[in-house]
């Protein structure tokens, strides 16, 4: 398509005669007649590209939204079952699915609309090489300047995709620890033991210890005197463990039998018996407290004395010793003792007395 005809026609000097004006109008009309098909083709091509891009973007985003909604509905269905509360955290799964859906929708929109824009510029016969080179340089500069932001974003994406932790989990992120109350692509919010809220950047997390996945271990150390019968101690603890495994709600929180592992340490004044049990995630502390409570009550009934506890029977005090109130004899009471002689005054010589 040539744009030289109108420019050449407009470069003539004034005044213009009637014949010249008619000629110029004829040339302009013929130029338009020759190129209108090209203009129409370019316009239709750009319109078609834009329509296809918008339709494709709408279809993909709608499909992603339906997929996320279906995932959330399946989570709610499982949550209503008997073991749903133990296996699924609806809020955690919802936030995870929403975050993944948001990332996929944003990436889809960027790719489709960016590709459509480049195709429309190509339809106008614009050289895209300088534009792409400039965009690449700008992207490198932006990535270098905002590298921490990019690191946080990418780390958040992989944490969510890999399901390293979620809402309701208790984690140790190194820089802070606590219960996860919100998971974002850039920042994770934790609530500490004292109620404080920690904002942890995902890019700063080097390692994560999740205390709410899989199972937990409840460990209790029972310290008794070395003179106690260890087999009797084991029998009492096993009776407590069997009763605990049958009572509600501990029968659901215990995922394995309570085991007496044996002696953890042997000292002159005490021996330590280690008791362990596999529990639900996040329920180990409660099981440990209940075990200590029941073991202490059972030991009191069985007459087993623990280190630091009161004796089974308080011995009656004997009659006071009458000699306890008598003071010890003093060395100064004897005038011939060395202490008395050293404390006596010195007698002056006879010649000095005169």
């Amino acid at each position: 398509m040539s744009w030289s005809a109108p420019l050449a026609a407009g470069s003539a000097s004034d005044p213009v005669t009637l014949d010249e004006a008619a000629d110029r109008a004829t040339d302009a009309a013929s130029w338009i007649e020759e190129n209108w098909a090209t203009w129409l083709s370019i316009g239709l091509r750009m319109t078609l590209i834009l329509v296809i891009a918008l339709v494709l973007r709408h279809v993909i985003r709608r499909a992603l939204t339906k997929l996320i909604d279906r995932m959330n509905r399946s989570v709610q269905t499982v949550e209503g079952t008997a073991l749903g509360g133990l296996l699924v955290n609806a809020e955690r799964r919802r936030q995870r699915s929403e975050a993944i859906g948001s990332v996929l929708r944003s990436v889809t929109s960027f790719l489709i609309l960016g590709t459509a824009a480049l195709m429309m510029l190509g339809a106008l016969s614009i050289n895209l090489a300088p534009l792409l080179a400039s965009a690449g340089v700008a992207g490198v500069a932006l990535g270098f300047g905002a590298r921490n932001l990019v690191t946080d974003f990418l780390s958040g994406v992989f944490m969510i995709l890999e399901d390293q932790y979620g809402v309701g989990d208790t984690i140790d992120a190194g820089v802070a620890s606590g219960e996860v109350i919100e998971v974002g692509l850039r920042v994770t919010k934790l609530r500490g033991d004292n109620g404080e809220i920690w904002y942890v950047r995902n890019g700063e997390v080097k390692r994560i210890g999740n205390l709410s996945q899989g199972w937990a271990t409840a460990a209790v150390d029972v310290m008794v005197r070395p003179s106690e019968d260890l087999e009797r101690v084991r029998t009492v603890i096993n009776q407590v463990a069997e009763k605990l495994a049958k009572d509600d709600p501990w029968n659901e929180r215990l995922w394995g039998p309570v085991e007496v592992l044996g002696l953890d340490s042997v000292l002159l004044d005490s021996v330590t018996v280690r008791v362990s049990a596999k529990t639900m995630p996040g329920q180990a502390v409660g099981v440990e407290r209940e075990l200590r409570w029941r073991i202490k009550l059972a030991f009191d009934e069985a007459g087993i004395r623990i280190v630091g506890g009161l004796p089974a029977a308080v011995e009656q005090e004997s009659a006071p010793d009458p000699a306890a109130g008598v003071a010890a004899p003093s060395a100064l009471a004897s005038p011939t003792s060395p202490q008395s002689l050293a404390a006596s005054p010195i007698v002056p010589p006879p010649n000095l007395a005169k």
Side-chain angles (χ1 to χ4, degrees), residues 1-2 19 30 38 42 59 69 125 134 138 140 163 179 185-186 199 215 279 284 301 309 334:
M1 180 177 60
S2 176
D19 296 336
S30 61
T38 305
I42 293 175
V59 170
D69 293 340
S125 301
S134 302
V140 171
D163 195 18
E179 181 182 356
L185 294 178
R186 193 182 68 87
Y199 294 86
W215 47 268
T279 67
E301 293 179 359
S334 177

Side-chain angles (χ1 to χ4, degrees), residues 228-240:
E228 297 291 342
D229 186 359
L230 295 182
E231 291 298 331
R232 187 161 172 260
V233 170
R234 184 197 298 270
T235 302
V236 173
I237 295 177
N238 288 332
Q239 292 175 356
V240 172

Side-chain angles (χ1 to χ4, degrees), residues 170-191:
T170 301
I171 67 171
D172 181 4
V175 294
S177 61
E179 181 182 356
V180 180
I181 59 177
E182 184 178 343
V183 179
L185 294 178
R186 193 182 68 87
V187 174
T188 298
K189 294 172 63 176
L190 305 177
R191 185 174 296 279

Side-chain angles (χ1 to χ4, degrees), residues 1-351:
M1 180 177 60
S2 176
W3 301 88
S4 59
L7 296 177
S11 62
S13 59
D14 295 329
V16 180
T17 61
L18 184 59
D19 296 336
E20 292 177 351
D23 294 339
R24 292 179 182 180
T26 303
D27 294 338
S30 61
W31 179 80
I32 294 175
E33 185 180 1
E34 292 175 358
N35 296 280
W36 74 271
T38 305
W39 295 348
L40 182 60
S41 175
I42 293 175
L44 291 177
R45 187 183 305 172
M46 294 176 63
T47 304
L48 183 61
I49 292 173
L50 182 60
V51 169
I52 293 176
L54 294 178
V55 171
L56 184 61
R57 174 177 175 271
H58 176 73
V59 170
I60 295 179
R61 288 174 64 92
R62 187 177 180 84
L64 292 174
T65 303
K66 288 185 177 181
L67 178 62
I68 298 302
D69 293 340
R70 184 178 302 175
M71 293 172 58
N72 293 333
R73 286 196 300 269
S74 63
V75 170
Q76 294 175 0
T77 302
V78 176
E79 188 182 16
T81 60
L83 296 178
L86 303 178
L87 303 178
V88 178
N89 188 325
E91 180 63 19
R92 167 180 176 175
R93 294 290 299 271
R94 187 191 65 80
Q95 287 201 5
R96 178 169 176 255
S97 59
E98 290 293 339
I100 295 175
S102 176
V103 172
L104 293 178
R105 284 191 292 265
S106 299
V107 171
T108 300
S109 299
F110 177 77
L111 292 178
I112 293 177
L113 296 181
T115 304
L118 293 177
M119 294 178 65
M120 293 171 66
L121 292 177
L124 294 175
S125 301
I126 297 177
N127 188 9
L128 300 178
L131 181 62
L132 294 178
S134 302
V137 173
V140 171
L142 182 62
F144 181 79
R147 58 186 181 276
N148 292 333
L149 182 62
V150 176
T151 301
D152 297 340
F153 180 82
L154 294 178
S155 299
V157 170
F158 283 106
M159 286 179 181
I160 293 175
L161 291 177
E162 295 173 0
D163 195 18
Q164 298 180 7
Y165 55 82
V167 175
D169 288 352
T170 301
I171 67 171
D172 181 4
V175 294
S177 61
E179 181 182 356
V180 180
I181 59 177
E182 184 178 343
V183 179
L185 294 178
R186 193 182 68 87
V187 174
T188 298
K189 294 172 63 176
L190 305 177
R191 185 174 296 279
D193 297 334
N194 297 325
E196 69 276 10
I197 296 180
W198 299 98
Y199 294 86
V200 181
R201 288 172 43 198
N202 295 330
E204 292 183 349
V205 178
K206 304 302 180 183
R207 53 95 175 157
I208 295 176
N210 196 323
L211 307 179
S212 301
Q213 288 184 354
W215 47 268
T217 301
V220 175
D221 291 334
V222 182
M223 299 179 64
V224 298
R225 299 182 182 275
S227 58
E228 297 291 342
D229 186 359
L230 295 182
E231 291 298 331
R232 187 161 172 260
V233 170
R234 184 197 298 270
T235 302
V236 173
I237 295 177
N238 288 332
Q239 292 175 356
V240 172
E242 292 177 0
K243 190 174 185 304
L244 180 67
K246 297 178 181 178
D247 295 343
D248 292 329
W250 309 107
N251 53 358
E252 295 182 356
R253 299 179 183 179
L254 286 173
W255 283 9
V258 180
E259 299 178 351
V260 180
L261 301 182
L263 293 180
D264 193 61
S265 64
V266 178
L267 303 177
L268 293 177
D269 58 346
S270 66
V271 292
T272 302
V273 181
R274 172 63 62 90
V275 182
S276 177
K278 185 179 295 186
T279 67
M280 288 174 52
Q283 301 295 330
V285 176
V287 174
E288 290 175 358
R289 292 171 178 171
E290 186 67 17
L291 269 176
R292 294 190 187 99
W293 182 280
R294 298 195 179 202
I295 290 175
K296 175 62 170 62
L297 295 178
F299 279 9
D300 291 342
E301 293 179 359
I304 299 176
R305 301 164 63 180
I306 62 175
V307 173
L310 294 175
V314 180
E315 298 180 358
Q316 295 183 355
E317 296 182 358
S318 59
D321 187 3
V326 179
S330 175
L332 298 177
S334 177
T336 60
S337 64
Q339 290 81 1
S340 297
L341 296 176
S344 61
I346 300 176
V347 180
N351 55 356

